[in-house]
Amino acid sequence: KQKVTFPLVLAVIVTVMGSTFQYGYNIAVVNAPAPVNYFQYDSQLPIKLCHRRSANFTTFFIKSNPATVGNKVTEINQVAVVEVTTLSDSDLILWSFTVSIYTVGGMIGSFSTGFFVKKFGRKGALLVSNSLSIVGAILMGTSKAANSLEMIIIARFLLGIFAGLATGVVPLYLGEISPKAIRGALGVISQLSITIGILTAQLLSLKEVLGTAELWPILLAFTGVPSAMQLCVLPFLPESPRCLLIDRDREDLARKALIKFRGTSDVAVEIREMRHEAEAQASTDQLSVLEVLKDQSVRWQIISIAFIQFTQQMCGINAIFFYLNTIFEAAGVAGDTQNYASVGVGTVNVFMTVISVLLMDRLGRKILLAGGYAIAGVFCIVMTISLNLQDQISWISNLSIASVIGFIIGFANQGVCPVPWILTAELFRQSSRPAASSIGCGVNWTFNFALALVFPFMQKGMGPYVFLFFLCICAIATAYVVIIIPETKGKTFQEINNMFVKRN
C-alpha cells in the first residue's frame, strides 16, 4: 500500500501555498463582497469602490474625477463613496476591460506554461514565476506612497501572468509526484488552496483587520509572503520523477526522487511504468501547442479538456457571486453585515472543497464532474425563480441564499471546480502534457476574460434570466461528461491514454 510521506505532503503544501493560493487571494483581495478598497485621488479624499462583482472581476477602476462618473456620489466622513453599478455602455466597456487586466495576464501566463515547463522543468517553472509575484507585491505595497493607480494595474497584470502559470504548472507537478491511488485527492488540494486564498483575502479585508485606508497596501502586498516561503523551501524538494526520467533521461535522479516521495526503496514498479512510457515515445520530443492541436492521437483529449475548461467558466459561478449582495440585501442582511455573510459563503466553499478531496479517489472524476454540473443546473433554475419573486414574496430570499449554497456544493464539492484541472494533467502522455496544459488553462483564462467583459451586458439585458443561459451550459456539459469522458481513477497515464485510442 502506497503511503503518504512527509516530503510528499511538504511538496504539496509548499507548491499550492506559493502558487494557487495566491491565485485565489489575488482574485478576492481587491474584490471582497463588501467595499474595502481605498485610493487617494486629486480630491485628496479616499475613494471607496462599492461593488458587487464576481470573484473573477477586479474592481480597481474609476474615473479620476468622481463627479463625471454619473453615478450616485456622496460624502461620508470625508470619504467619497461611489457606487459603480450604473455605468453607461461606453464607461462599462472601459470599466470591464480595465478590471479584466488580471485575466489578460492569466491568459498570457497560461499559454506560456509549455515554454516554461520545457525550459525550466516543473519545479523550476514554479520558482522562476515567483519573481513575478514578488515584483507585483512590491508594486502593490508602494502604490499608495507613490499615489499611483498605474502601479496597481501593472502589478495586477504581473500577478495575472503568475496565476496563469500557476494554474498550468501546479497540476502537472502534483499529478506527477503523487501515487496513482491518491492522485485525484492531491490534485484537489490545488483547488482547495484557491478557496482558502479567497477566504483569507475576505478575512483580511475586513475593516477590523487590514481593510482600512491606512492598511490596504499591506493587504495587497501580502501576496509576496507565500512566494518568499516557496522560494525558501521548494529548492530542497525533488523535481517531478517523470520529468527527470522521461524528459531528461535521468533515471538515477528519478529513482532518488521517487524514494524520497514514497518513503521506500521499492519503486521498481513505478520506474518500469515510466520507462515503458519513455520507450513508447522515444522518437517524440516534447510537442508544441500547435503540434498537439494537429496530433490526431490526442484529438478527443484536447476537445474534452477545452470543453470542460470552457464550461467551468460558463456554468454560472460568476453570476452567483455577482448577485450575492443583492440576495443578502433581499434577505435583510445589513450592508455592514454583508462582509461577514460573504465570509460565511467563502467558508462553505472551503468546506465543500475539503469534502471533494475525500471523495475524489472514492467516487471518481466522472461521477463527481457530471453530478456537479447537474446540481449546478438545478440551482440555476431555482435561482431564476427566486430572484424574480424575492420582491413579491418575503421568504423567497431565503431560498436564494439556499440556492447559493447549493450551487457552491455542486461547483466545489461535486467536481466542477477541481476535476477539469485534474483531467488536464491525466489525459495526456508526457510529451504532450505541457502543451495540453497550456491549451486547457488558456481556454479557461480566455473565457474568464471574455465573461468578465460580456457578463455585465448580459446581466443588464437579461437580469436574473441570465441563469437560464447558464442552465443550458450545465445541461450540455452534463451530457458530454456522461457520454465522452472516461473514468481515470486509479489508472496510470499510459492506461488513460489507451482508453482514447479507439475514439481517436
mmCIF file of all heavy atoms in Angstrom, residues 250-294:
data_model
loop_
_atom_site.group_PDB
_atom_site.id
_atom_site.type_symbol
_atom_site.label_atom_id
_atom_site.label_comp_id
_atom_site.label_asym_id
_atom_site.label_seq_id
_atom_site.Cartn_x
_atom_site.Cartn_y
_atom_site.Cartn_z
ATOM 1 N N ARG A 250 17.153 10.918 -16.937
ATOM 2 C CA ARG A 250 17.972 10.781 -15.726
ATOM 3 C C ARG A 250 17.271 9.822 -14.770
ATOM 4 O O ARG A 250 16.652 10.214 -13.795
ATOM 5 C CB ARG A 250 18.182 12.150 -15.068
ATOM 6 C CG ARG A 250 19.054 13.100 -15.855
ATOM 7 C CD ARG A 250 20.482 12.557 -16.042
ATOM 8 N NE ARG A 250 21.118 12.206 -14.779
ATOM 9 C CZ ARG A 250 21.837 13.066 -14.050
ATOM 10 N NH1 ARG A 250 21.998 14.322 -14.483
ATOM 11 N NH2 ARG A 250 22.406 12.680 -12.930
ATOM 12 N N GLU A 251 17.390 8.516 -15.065
ATOM 13 C CA GLU A 251 16.722 7.521 -14.239
ATOM 14 C C GLU A 251 17.268 7.515 -12.822
ATOM 15 O O GLU A 251 16.539 7.237 -11.864
ATOM 16 C CB GLU A 251 16.860 6.132 -14.868
ATOM 17 C CG GLU A 251 16.120 5.052 -14.107
ATOM 18 C CD GLU A 251 16.151 3.703 -14.798
ATOM 19 O OE1 GLU A 251 16.171 3.674 -16.049
ATOM 20 O OE2 GLU A 251 16.169 2.672 -14.088
ATOM 21 N N ASP A 252 18.568 7.815 -12.670
ATOM 22 C CA ASP A 252 19.152 7.827 -11.330
ATOM 23 C C ASP A 252 18.503 8.887 -10.445
ATOM 24 O O ASP A 252 18.147 8.628 -9.290
ATOM 25 C CB ASP A 252 20.660 8.057 -11.420
ATOM 26 C CG ASP A 252 21.008 9.338 -12.191
ATOM 27 O OD1 ASP A 252 20.223 9.739 -13.073
ATOM 28 O OD2 ASP A 252 22.067 9.930 -11.908
ATOM 29 N N LEU A 253 18.313 10.091 -10.997
ATOM 30 C CA LEU A 253 17.682 11.155 -10.230
ATOM 31 C C LEU A 253 16.193 10.879 -10.020
ATOM 32 O O LEU A 253 15.639 11.198 -8.960
ATOM 33 C CB LEU A 253 17.861 12.499 -10.942
ATOM 34 C CG LEU A 253 19.301 13.004 -11.071
ATOM 35 C CD1 LEU A 253 19.331 14.354 -11.795
ATOM 36 C CD2 LEU A 253 19.963 13.124 -9.702
ATOM 37 N N ALA A 254 15.541 10.285 -11.013
ATOM 38 C CA ALA A 254 14.131 9.937 -10.884
ATOM 39 C C ALA A 254 13.931 8.922 -9.768
ATOM 40 O O ALA A 254 12.978 9.014 -8.981
ATOM 41 C CB ALA A 254 13.597 9.395 -12.200
ATOM 42 N N ARG A 255 14.832 7.942 -9.686
ATOM 43 C CA ARG A 255 14.726 6.928 -8.639
ATOM 44 C C ARG A 255 14.904 7.563 -7.259
ATOM 45 O O ARG A 255 14.162 7.261 -6.317
ATOM 46 C CB ARG A 255 15.778 5.838 -8.868
ATOM 47 C CG ARG A 255 15.637 4.633 -7.941
ATOM 48 C CD ARG A 255 16.710 3.602 -8.252
ATOM 49 N NE ARG A 255 16.587 3.108 -9.621
ATOM 50 C CZ ARG A 255 15.781 2.119 -9.989
ATOM 51 N NH1 ARG A 255 15.029 1.521 -9.077
ATOM 52 N NH2 ARG A 255 15.736 1.731 -11.247
ATOM 53 N N LYS A 256 15.881 8.462 -7.126
ATOM 54 C CA LYS A 256 16.100 9.141 -5.840
ATOM 55 C C LYS A 256 14.885 9.973 -5.450
ATOM 56 O O LYS A 256 14.485 9.997 -4.280
ATOM 57 C CB LYS A 256 17.334 10.038 -5.944
ATOM 58 C CG LYS A 256 18.654 9.287 -6.029
ATOM 59 C CD LYS A 256 19.824 10.260 -6.124
ATOM 60 C CE LYS A 256 21.148 9.517 -6.238
ATOM 61 N NZ LYS A 256 22.302 10.460 -6.375
ATOM 62 N N ALA A 257 14.288 10.654 -6.437
ATOM 63 C CA ALA A 257 13.109 11.473 -6.148
ATOM 64 C C ALA A 257 11.943 10.602 -5.695
ATOM 65 O O ALA A 257 11.237 10.935 -4.732
ATOM 66 C CB ALA A 257 12.722 12.284 -7.383
ATOM 67 N N LEU A 258 11.748 9.462 -6.378
ATOM 68 C CA LEU A 258 10.659 8.559 -6.003
ATOM 69 C C LEU A 258 10.866 7.988 -4.605
ATOM 70 O O LEU A 258 9.919 7.883 -3.815
ATOM 71 C CB LEU A 258 10.550 7.422 -7.015
ATOM 72 C CG LEU A 258 9.683 7.676 -8.254
ATOM 73 C CD1 LEU A 258 9.728 6.462 -9.175
ATOM 74 C CD2 LEU A 258 8.235 7.971 -7.854
ATOM 75 N N ILE A 259 12.084 7.605 -4.312
ATOM 76 C CA ILE A 259 12.382 7.050 -2.979
ATOM 77 C C ILE A 259 12.067 8.079 -1.892
ATOM 78 O O ILE A 259 11.501 7.747 -0.845
ATOM 79 C CB ILE A 259 13.859 6.605 -2.912
ATOM 80 C CG1 ILE A 259 14.076 5.368 -3.796
ATOM 81 C CG2 ILE A 259 14.273 6.315 -1.472
ATOM 82 C CD1 ILE A 259 15.527 4.954 -3.926
ATOM 83 N N LYS A 260 12.400 9.341 -2.170
ATOM 84 C CA LYS A 260 12.133 10.390 -1.176
ATOM 85 C C LYS A 260 10.628 10.633 -1.031
ATOM 86 O O LYS A 260 10.118 10.782 0.096
ATOM 87 C CB LYS A 260 12.834 11.680 -1.587
ATOM 88 C CG LYS A 260 12.784 12.760 -0.509
ATOM 89 C CD LYS A 260 13.761 13.885 -0.798
ATOM 90 C CE LYS A 260 13.816 14.876 0.364
ATOM 91 N NZ LYS A 260 14.825 15.939 0.146
ATOM 92 N N PHE A 261 9.907 10.677 -2.139
ATOM 93 C CA PHE A 261 8.464 10.937 -2.087
ATOM 94 C C PHE A 261 7.683 9.745 -1.535
ATOM 95 O O PHE A 261 6.655 9.926 -0.873
ATOM 96 C CB PHE A 261 7.929 11.286 -3.474
ATOM 97 C CG PHE A 261 8.213 12.703 -3.907
ATOM 98 C CD1 PHE A 261 8.693 12.967 -5.180
ATOM 99 C CD2 PHE A 261 7.988 13.760 -3.050
ATOM 100 C CE1 PHE A 261 8.936 14.262 -5.585
ATOM 101 C CE2 PHE A 261 8.239 15.069 -3.443
ATOM 102 C CZ PHE A 261 8.724 15.316 -4.718
ATOM 103 N N ARG A 262 8.149 8.513 -1.812
ATOM 104 C CA ARG A 262 7.389 7.324 -1.403
ATOM 105 C C ARG A 262 7.820 6.785 -0.042
ATOM 106 O O ARG A 262 7.124 5.991 0.571
ATOM 107 C CB ARG A 262 7.538 6.211 -2.439
ATOM 108 C CG ARG A 262 7.112 6.592 -3.845
ATOM 109 C CD ARG A 262 5.614 6.874 -3.927
ATOM 110 N NE ARG A 262 5.227 7.216 -5.286
ATOM 111 C CZ ARG A 262 5.019 8.456 -5.719
ATOM 112 N NH1 ARG A 262 5.156 9.471 -4.870
ATOM 113 N NH2 ARG A 262 4.679 8.692 -6.975
ATOM 114 N N GLY A 263 9.017 7.160 0.420
ATOM 115 C CA GLY A 263 9.485 6.677 1.709
ATOM 116 C C GLY A 263 9.911 5.226 1.702
ATOM 117 O O GLY A 263 9.940 4.575 2.753
ATOM 118 N N THR A 264 10.234 4.701 0.526
ATOM 119 C CA THR A 264 10.683 3.316 0.404
ATOM 120 C C THR A 264 11.582 3.198 -0.816
ATOM 121 O O THR A 264 11.461 3.968 -1.776
ATOM 122 C CB THR A 264 9.480 2.359 0.249
ATOM 123 O OG1 THR A 264 9.965 1.027 0.047
ATOM 124 C CG2 THR A 264 8.611 2.750 -0.928
ATOM 125 N N SER A 265 12.489 2.223 -0.770
ATOM 126 C CA SER A 265 13.371 1.988 -1.919
ATOM 127 C C SER A 265 12.716 1.099 -2.966
ATOM 128 O O SER A 265 13.273 0.898 -4.050
ATOM 129 C CB SER A 265 14.684 1.349 -1.445
ATOM 130 O OG SER A 265 14.414 0.120 -0.773
ATOM 131 N N ASP A 266 11.556 0.551 -2.655
ATOM 132 C CA ASP A 266 10.855 -0.328 -3.584
ATOM 133 C C ASP A 266 10.005 0.506 -4.553
ATOM 134 O O ASP A 266 8.788 0.648 -4.388
ATOM 135 C CB ASP A 266 9.977 -1.311 -2.808
ATOM 136 C CG ASP A 266 9.312 -2.335 -3.723
ATOM 137 O OD1 ASP A 266 9.746 -2.446 -4.889
ATOM 138 O OD2 ASP A 266 8.361 -3.007 -3.273
ATOM 139 N N VAL A 267 10.658 1.067 -5.552
ATOM 140 C CA VAL A 267 9.968 1.912 -6.531
ATOM 141 C C VAL A 267 10.104 1.330 -7.932
ATOM 142 O O VAL A 267 9.896 2.033 -8.921
ATOM 143 C CB VAL A 267 10.516 3.352 -6.490
ATOM 144 C CG1 VAL A 267 10.204 4.017 -5.148
ATOM 145 C CG2 VAL A 267 12.016 3.373 -6.764
ATOM 146 N N ALA A 268 10.440 0.040 -8.023
ATOM 147 C CA ALA A 268 10.702 -0.579 -9.321
ATOM 148 C C ALA A 268 9.486 -0.553 -10.245
ATOM 149 O O ALA A 268 9.628 -0.350 -11.460
ATOM 150 C CB ALA A 268 11.173 -2.022 -9.119
ATOM 151 N N VAL A 269 8.297 -0.733 -9.656
ATOM 152 C CA VAL A 269 7.084 -0.765 -10.494
ATOM 153 C C VAL A 269 6.864 0.585 -11.165
ATOM 154 O O VAL A 269 6.582 0.661 -12.380
ATOM 155 C CB VAL A 269 5.855 -1.158 -9.649
ATOM 156 C CG1 VAL A 269 4.577 -1.036 -10.484
ATOM 157 C CG2 VAL A 269 6.011 -2.579 -9.118
ATOM 158 N N GLU A 270 6.994 1.653 -10.415
ATOM 159 C CA GLU A 270 6.784 2.983 -10.994
ATOM 160 C C GLU A 270 7.882 3.328 -11.994
ATOM 161 O O GLU A 270 7.610 3.935 -13.037
ATOM 162 C CB GLU A 270 6.722 4.041 -9.890
ATOM 163 C CG GLU A 270 5.440 4.012 -9.083
ATOM 164 C CD GLU A 270 5.290 5.223 -8.174
ATOM 165 O OE1 GLU A 270 4.927 6.298 -8.687
ATOM 166 O OE2 GLU A 270 5.541 5.089 -6.966
ATOM 167 N N ILE A 271 9.115 2.947 -11.688
ATOM 168 C CA ILE A 271 10.206 3.193 -12.631
ATOM 169 C C ILE A 271 9.952 2.449 -13.934
ATOM 170 O O ILE A 271 10.142 2.983 -15.042
ATOM 171 C CB ILE A 271 11.560 2.768 -12.022
ATOM 172 C CG1 ILE A 271 11.966 3.732 -10.898
ATOM 173 C CG2 ILE A 271 12.637 2.710 -13.088
ATOM 174 C CD1 ILE A 271 12.338 5.118 -11.357
ATOM 175 N N ARG A 272 9.500 1.209 -13.835
ATOM 176 C CA ARG A 272 9.224 0.408 -15.026
ATOM 177 C C ARG A 272 8.090 1.026 -15.858
ATOM 178 O O ARG A 272 8.163 1.087 -17.085
ATOM 179 C CB ARG A 272 8.873 -1.021 -14.619
ATOM 180 C CG ARG A 272 8.684 -1.968 -15.805
ATOM 181 C CD ARG A 272 8.726 -3.437 -15.381
ATOM 182 N NE ARG A 272 7.733 -3.746 -14.354
ATOM 183 C CZ ARG A 272 8.041 -4.005 -13.078
ATOM 184 N NH1 ARG A 272 9.306 -4.004 -12.677
ATOM 185 N NH2 ARG A 272 7.089 -4.301 -12.212
ATOM 186 N N GLU A 273 7.054 1.494 -15.183
ATOM 187 C CA GLU A 273 5.930 2.120 -15.901
ATOM 188 C C GLU A 273 6.383 3.381 -16.628
ATOM 189 O O GLU A 273 6.007 3.626 -17.780
ATOM 190 C CB GLU A 273 4.817 2.442 -14.904
ATOM 191 C CG GLU A 273 3.555 3.031 -15.531
ATOM 192 C CD GLU A 273 3.547 4.545 -15.485
ATOM 193 O OE1 GLU A 273 3.929 5.119 -14.457
ATOM 194 O OE2 GLU A 273 3.151 5.147 -16.508
ATOM 195 N N MET A 274 7.220 4.184 -15.973
ATOM 196 C CA MET A 274 7.731 5.392 -16.618
ATOM 197 C C MET A 274 8.653 5.061 -17.775
ATOM 198 O O MET A 274 8.649 5.719 -18.824
ATOM 199 C CB MET A 274 8.454 6.277 -15.586
ATOM 200 C CG MET A 274 7.513 7.008 -14.641
ATOM 201 S SD MET A 274 8.373 8.206 -13.605
ATOM 202 C CE MET A 274 9.127 7.140 -12.399
ATOM 203 N N ARG A 275 9.462 3.990 -17.594
ATOM 204 C CA ARG A 275 10.370 3.593 -18.666
ATOM 205 C C ARG A 275 9.600 3.122 -19.888
ATOM 206 O O ARG A 275 9.973 3.422 -21.030
ATOM 207 C CB ARG A 275 11.312 2.494 -18.167
ATOM 208 C CG ARG A 275 12.508 2.264 -19.093
ATOM 209 C CD ARG A 275 13.373 1.128 -18.617
ATOM 210 N NE ARG A 275 13.967 1.406 -17.316
ATOM 211 C CZ ARG A 275 13.792 0.644 -16.243
ATOM 212 N NH1 ARG A 275 13.016 -0.439 -16.306
ATOM 213 N NH2 ARG A 275 14.376 0.940 -15.108
ATOM 214 N N HIS A 276 8.507 2.401 -19.669
ATOM 215 C CA HIS A 276 7.674 1.958 -20.790
ATOM 216 C C HIS A 276 7.100 3.150 -21.543
ATOM 217 O O HIS A 276 7.060 3.158 -22.778
ATOM 218 C CB HIS A 276 6.537 1.068 -20.290
ATOM 219 C CG HIS A 276 6.999 -0.298 -19.872
ATOM 220 N ND1 HIS A 276 6.212 -1.139 -19.105
ATOM 221 C CD2 HIS A 276 8.158 -0.968 -20.110
ATOM 222 C CE1 HIS A 276 6.886 -2.273 -18.885
ATOM 223 N NE2 HIS A 276 8.059 -2.185 -19.476
ATOM 224 N N GLU A 277 6.656 4.159 -20.798
ATOM 225 C CA GLU A 277 6.134 5.351 -21.461
ATOM 226 C C GLU A 277 7.235 6.069 -22.217
ATOM 227 O O GLU A 277 7.020 6.566 -23.329
ATOM 228 C CB GLU A 277 5.493 6.297 -20.435
ATOM 229 C CG GLU A 277 4.865 7.529 -21.081
ATOM 230 C CD GLU A 277 4.133 8.420 -20.089
ATOM 231 O OE1 GLU A 277 3.865 7.968 -18.956
ATOM 232 O OE2 GLU A 277 3.817 9.568 -20.455
ATOM 233 N N ALA A 278 8.420 6.117 -21.625
ATOM 234 C CA ALA A 278 9.544 6.775 -22.302
ATOM 235 C C ALA A 278 9.904 6.053 -23.595
ATOM 236 O O ALA A 278 10.184 6.682 -24.620
ATOM 237 C CB ALA A 278 10.751 6.827 -21.366
ATOM 238 N N GLU A 279 9.874 4.716 -23.555
ATOM 239 C CA GLU A 279 10.185 3.942 -24.757
ATOM 240 C C GLU A 279 9.109 4.116 -25.820
ATOM 241 O O GLU A 279 9.404 4.164 -27.013
ATOM 242 C CB GLU A 279 10.328 2.461 -24.387
ATOM 243 C CG GLU A 279 11.551 2.163 -23.524
ATOM 244 C CD GLU A 279 11.531 0.743 -22.965
ATOM 245 O OE1 GLU A 279 10.508 0.045 -23.174
ATOM 246 O OE2 GLU A 279 12.524 0.349 -22.309
ATOM 247 N N ALA A 280 7.862 4.225 -25.388
ATOM 248 C CA ALA A 280 6.762 4.366 -26.341
ATOM 249 C C ALA A 280 6.823 5.680 -27.097
ATOM 250 O O ALA A 280 6.338 5.773 -28.224
ATOM 251 C CB ALA A 280 5.427 4.253 -25.611
ATOM 252 N N GLN A 281 7.438 6.689 -26.494
ATOM 253 C CA GLN A 281 7.532 7.975 -27.178
ATOM 254 C C GLN A 281 8.990 8.386 -27.367
ATOM 255 O O GLN A 281 9.311 9.570 -27.429
ATOM 256 C CB GLN A 281 6.793 9.045 -26.372
ATOM 257 C CG GLN A 281 7.312 9.242 -24.955
ATOM 258 C CD GLN A 281 6.536 10.312 -24.211
ATOM 259 O OE1 GLN A 281 5.326 10.284 -24.118
ATOM 260 N NE2 GLN A 281 7.263 11.286 -23.687
ATOM 261 N N ALA A 282 9.859 7.376 -27.504
ATOM 262 C CA ALA A 282 11.295 7.643 -27.635
ATOM 263 C C ALA A 282 11.614 8.512 -28.841
ATOM 264 O O ALA A 282 12.555 9.308 -28.831
ATOM 265 C CB ALA A 282 12.064 6.326 -27.719
ATOM 266 N N SER A 283 10.850 8.362 -29.898
ATOM 267 C CA SER A 283 11.105 9.125 -31.119
ATOM 268 C C SER A 283 10.382 10.464 -31.132
ATOM 269 O O SER A 283 10.419 11.188 -32.129
ATOM 270 C CB SER A 283 10.657 8.312 -32.337
ATOM 271 O OG SER A 283 9.275 8.008 -32.258
ATOM 272 N N THR A 284 9.719 10.820 -30.014
ATOM 273 C CA THR A 284 8.921 12.040 -29.959
ATOM 274 C C THR A 284 9.468 12.977 -28.897
ATOM 275 O O THR A 284 9.550 12.606 -27.727
ATOM 276 C CB THR A 284 7.449 11.716 -29.639
ATOM 277 O OG1 THR A 284 6.965 10.766 -30.588
ATOM 278 C CG2 THR A 284 6.600 12.972 -29.699
ATOM 279 N N ASP A 285 9.849 14.177 -29.311
ATOM 280 C CA ASP A 285 10.228 15.199 -28.344
ATOM 281 C C ASP A 285 8.969 15.819 -27.757
ATOM 282 O O ASP A 285 7.854 15.526 -28.190
ATOM 283 C CB ASP A 285 11.070 16.280 -29.025
ATOM 284 C CG ASP A 285 12.419 15.740 -29.487
ATOM 285 O OD1 ASP A 285 12.942 14.834 -28.820
ATOM 286 O OD2 ASP A 285 12.925 16.224 -30.524
ATOM 287 N N GLN A 286 9.163 16.689 -26.773
ATOM 288 C CA GLN A 286 8.006 17.399 -26.232
ATOM 289 C C GLN A 286 7.350 18.209 -27.341
ATOM 290 O O GLN A 286 8.009 18.948 -28.070
ATOM 291 C CB GLN A 286 8.429 18.310 -25.080
ATOM 292 C CG GLN A 286 8.651 17.571 -23.785
ATOM 293 C CD GLN A 286 8.558 18.491 -22.579
ATOM 294 O OE1 GLN A 286 8.261 19.670 -22.696
ATOM 295 N NE2 GLN A 286 8.814 17.942 -21.411
ATOM 296 N N LEU A 287 6.036 18.061 -27.444
ATOM 297 C CA LEU A 287 5.296 18.693 -28.522
ATOM 298 C C LEU A 287 4.923 20.128 -28.175
ATOM 299 O O LEU A 287 4.671 20.458 -27.013
ATOM 300 C CB LEU A 287 4.026 17.894 -28.819
ATOM 301 C CG LEU A 287 4.222 16.420 -29.200
ATOM 302 C CD1 LEU A 287 2.869 15.753 -29.432
ATOM 303 C CD2 LEU A 287 5.092 16.291 -30.445
ATOM 304 N N SER A 288 4.870 20.964 -29.203
ATOM 305 C CA SER A 288 4.405 22.328 -29.017
ATOM 306 C C SER A 288 2.882 22.353 -29.028
ATOM 307 O O SER A 288 2.227 21.358 -29.339
ATOM 308 C CB SER A 288 4.941 23.217 -30.144
ATOM 309 O OG SER A 288 4.375 22.826 -31.385
ATOM 310 N N VAL A 289 2.324 23.510 -28.708
ATOM 311 C CA VAL A 289 0.866 23.653 -28.709
ATOM 312 C C VAL A 289 0.309 23.361 -30.097
ATOM 313 O O VAL A 289 -0.694 22.632 -30.239
ATOM 314 C CB VAL A 289 0.467 25.071 -28.248
ATOM 315 C CG1 VAL A 289 -1.019 25.330 -28.515
ATOM 316 C CG2 VAL A 289 0.779 25.264 -26.770
ATOM 317 N N LEU A 290 0.942 23.896 -31.126
ATOM 318 C CA LEU A 290 0.461 23.681 -32.494
ATOM 319 C C LEU A 290 0.548 22.210 -32.880
ATOM 320 O O LEU A 290 -0.361 21.662 -33.522
ATOM 321 C CB LEU A 290 1.266 24.545 -33.470
ATOM 322 C CG LEU A 290 0.785 24.536 -34.929
ATOM 323 C CD1 LEU A 290 -0.645 25.036 -35.017
ATOM 324 C CD2 LEU A 290 1.712 25.406 -35.792
ATOM 325 N N GLU A 291 1.634 21.549 -32.490
ATOM 326 C CA GLU A 291 1.797 20.128 -32.809
ATOM 327 C C GLU A 291 0.749 19.271 -32.097
ATOM 328 O O GLU A 291 0.231 18.310 -32.672
ATOM 329 C CB GLU A 291 3.207 19.675 -32.416
ATOM 330 C CG GLU A 291 4.293 20.224 -33.332
ATOM 331 C CD GLU A 291 5.692 19.954 -32.800
ATOM 332 O OE1 GLU A 291 5.844 19.814 -31.560
ATOM 333 O OE2 GLU A 291 6.629 19.896 -33.615
ATOM 334 N N VAL A 292 0.425 19.629 -30.862
ATOM 335 C CA VAL A 292 -0.608 18.881 -30.129
ATOM 336 C C VAL A 292 -1.972 19.080 -30.780
ATOM 337 O O VAL A 292 -2.762 18.143 -30.909
ATOM 338 C CB VAL A 292 -0.645 19.325 -28.646
ATOM 339 C CG1 VAL A 292 -1.884 18.782 -27.946
ATOM 340 C CG2 VAL A 292 0.614 18.847 -27.925
ATOM 341 N N LEU A 293 -2.256 20.309 -31.211
ATOM 342 C CA LEU A 293 -3.529 20.574 -31.872
ATOM 343 C C LEU A 293 -3.669 19.788 -33.177
ATOM 344 O O LEU A 293 -4.775 19.425 -33.575
ATOM 345 C CB LEU A 293 -3.672 22.073 -32.151
ATOM 346 C CG LEU A 293 -3.887 22.970 -30.931
ATOM 347 C CD1 LEU A 293 -3.844 24.437 -31.335
ATOM 348 C CD2 LEU A 293 -5.203 22.648 -30.241
ATOM 349 N N LYS A 294 -2.548 19.504 -33.834
ATOM 350 C CA LYS A 294 -2.569 18.752 -35.090
ATOM 351 C C LYS A 294 -2.494 17.246 -34.882
ATOM 352 O O LYS A 294 -2.733 16.482 -35.818
ATOM 353 C CB LYS A 294 -1.392 19.186 -35.971
ATOM 354 C CG LYS A 294 -1.477 20.612 -36.498
ATOM 355 C CD LYS A 294 -0.263 20.944 -37.340
ATOM 356 C CE LYS A 294 -0.348 22.347 -37.930
ATOM 357 N NZ LYS A 294 0.855 22.670 -38.744
#
